[in-house]
Amino acid sequence: MKTSAARGSLAWLLIVWAVTRAVLLLCVLKVIVFPGPDVTSDVSVIYQGWYDVLSGGTFPLDDVTWQYPPAAALAILSPGLLPFLEYATAFFVLACLADAVTLALLACAGRGSGRRRRGAWVWVVGVPLLGPTVYARYDVMVTAVAVAAVVAGARHPRLMGALAGFGAMLKVWPAMLLLGVRRKSAWASAVVTVAGVAALFAMLMPGSFAFLTFQRDRGTEVESLGALVFHMARHHGWDGEVLLNYGSVEFLGPYVSWVSTGALFLTGVALGWLLLWRLVATRFEPHTVADAAFVAVLMFTTTSRVISPQYMVWLVGLAAACLCFRTSRMTLPAVLILAASFVTVLEFPIWFAHVVASDTLGITLLAVRNALLVTATVLAAARLWRDTVPGRPSPAPVSPVRSADSRATVS
């Protein structure tokens, strides 16, 4: 009976995945017109432009919107593997393939004693909640690597380290997956991988690390937590503006640097809390690696001065990895992330014009989405502390409610 039930559950999982992903593909291929601005232009214009430059053997040295580690070139160049398709179409197909790989990893991770398939369901449900943006950015590919690392973490620390290191060379944030890992072999493997990939790109392609100087003059992105300050201030005479800057829509003007600095401070507080947790945590279970990775990325995302919609893909993937373990205590934070994902698709792309205009609808959507992120962050951090630091009072985890959001995140 259990075998039949498991097969039935897997069948439904695959059916729902296939139907929802078919709809996403139809949206990015513009067979179905999704409300709001066209989210595919990043692929057909920006990514394809980078593809042309990267194909010539160099990085976009004069393009400040290129803000990615060197291995990101592999994702941008990947549509070349499907030369029979137009660039954008090939990219969408590969994004869908990365989505399928992630599902396969989560479904396999949910098998066996102490495991469950609920994590795979979080992924199947969470991705379509974010709309077609998921397939129009390369973050789903990075998330596939990150989920593979977390899934490998409990039994194969060296493999996890290598995957986390490679992921960090794709988009930095997967480096945080190692915070909950005690095995030195995982850290050594990550360092070797990062060093090897960095050296390879430095030798083969000029400008591999030019991206490190491309974010110095960023403003505060309009969807971030700190941006709520300026959304409200615009109704009280604030003399600033909203502009497309460094590839995202940002606030620029008086006091923006103050809010961005406050955001960086919050990220520093988050890092301090994570280091303190790492020092005093004594109880590490198989699910701790996934839980710690989820908490770390959630903290840095919530406190970031840039919260692009595609960042939610990271959180959905890591929440799904947590829920593959029956003993994980991240169920409620994962539900909050799913709710935040739905609100995210409402604020971008559906009603993004209202967000840019700072009207009542736009501010409300941002306030709700960011409140969900803050609540998920505090709950997840508190649960991680209680689960791993027995006999100690739980300190109040970093709460970004009173300040701006931060982190010089590579967007």
Side-chain angles (χ1 to χ4, degrees), residues 28-45:
V28 292
L29 293 173
K30 301 180 183 178
V31 177
I32 297 175
V33 178
F34 200 81
D38 179 16
V39 300
T40 66
S41 60
D42 275 26
V43 176
S44 59
V45 178

Side-chain angles (χ1 to χ4, degrees), residues 101-149:
V101 169
T102 306
L103 174 62
L105 289 167
L106 292 167
C108 291
R111 299 172 57 190
S113 177
R115 305 296 184 99
R116 57 185 176 186
R117 280 216 177 98
R118 194 157 66 168
W121 276 109
V122 168
W123 180 254
V124 168
V125 172
V127 168
L129 287 178
L130 290 166
T133 304
V134 176
Y135 282 3
R137 306 290 187 274
Y138 85 93
D139 295 80
V140 67
M141 301 174 184
V142 185
T143 302
V145 175
V147 169

Side-chain angles (χ1 to χ4, degrees), residues 346-393:
L346 295 180
E347 60 92 358
F348 183 90
I350 295 178
W351 286 318
F352 190 59
H354 294 275
V355 173
V356 174
S358 300
D359 64 16
T360 301
L361 176 58
I363 292 174
T364 300
L365 288 171
L366 282 182
V368 171
R369 197 280 300 274
N370 291 341
L372 288 167
L373 285 179
V374 169
T375 304
T377 300
V378 175
L379 284 177
R383 291 184 177 202
L384 177 66
W385 186 280
R386 287 195 297 266
D387 197 36
T388 56
V389 189
R392 293 176 181 269

Side-chain angles (χ1 to χ4, degrees), residues 166-368:
F166 179 69
M169 297 303 287
L170 282 170
K171 206 166 185 181
V172 180
W173 67 266
M176 291 182 281
L177 305 180
L178 294 170
L179 281 171
V181 179
R182 292 189 296 174
R183 299 285 292 274
K184 293 181 180 179
S185 58
W187 286 87
S189 180
V191 170
V192 169
T193 301
V194 169
V197 172
L200 183 63
F201 275 99
M203 288 187 298
L204 297 179
M205 297 181 70
S208 301
F209 295 93
F211 77 97
L212 293 173
T213 62
F214 283 171
Q215 293 201 58
R216 289 176 297 188
D217 298 320
R218 291 205 72 149
T220 293
E221 195 253 351
V222 295
E223 296 166 87
S224 60
L225 187 62
L228 287 169
V229 173
F230 299 111
H231 282 293
M232 299 299 296
R234 292 177 81 185
H235 294 274
H236 299 281
W238 176 67
D239 185 22
E241 54 188 347
V242 177
L243 293 174
L244 182 64
N245 189 48
Y246 289 89
S248 64
V249 181
E250 300 181 351
F251 282 115
L252 298 173
Y255 311 111
V256 171
S257 62
W258 293 16
V259 172
S260 295
T261 300
L264 289 170
F265 172 76
L266 270 183
T267 296
V269 173
L271 178 60
W273 187 93
L274 288 165
L275 292 176
L276 175 63
W277 166 79
R278 189 64 182 80
L279 288 172
V280 301
T282 58
R283 184 168 60 198
F284 286 76
E285 303 292 340
H287 64 271
T288 303
V289 170
D291 288 358
F294 176 55
V295 170
V297 176
L298 183 55
M299 279 186 163
F300 279 85
T301 300
T302 302
T303 59
S304 175
R305 63 180 175 179
V306 179
I307 306 181
S308 298
Q310 61 267 26
Y311 291 9
M312 297 299 299
V313 183
W314 316 345
L315 300 178
V316 171
L318 294 177
C322 292
L323 266 59
C324 288
F325 298 90
R326 290 186 182 277
T327 50
S328 173
R329 300 187 58 187
M330 296 298 158
T331 300
L332 181 54
V335 171
L336 292 174
I337 291 303
L338 292 180
S341 297
F342 175 68
V343 181
T344 296
V345 80
L346 295 180
E347 60 92 358
F348 183 90
I350 295 178
W351 286 318
F352 190 59
H354 294 275
V355 173
V356 174
S358 300
D359 64 16
T360 301
L361 176 58
I363 292 174
T364 300
L365 288 171
L366 282 182
V368 171

Side-chain angles (χ1 to χ4, degrees), residues 65-86:
T65 62
W66 175 264
Q67 300 159 22
Y68 310 105
L74 300 177
I76 303 302
L77 291 169
S78 62
L81 297 172
L82 304 175
F84 49 89
L85 293 176
E86 181 265 336

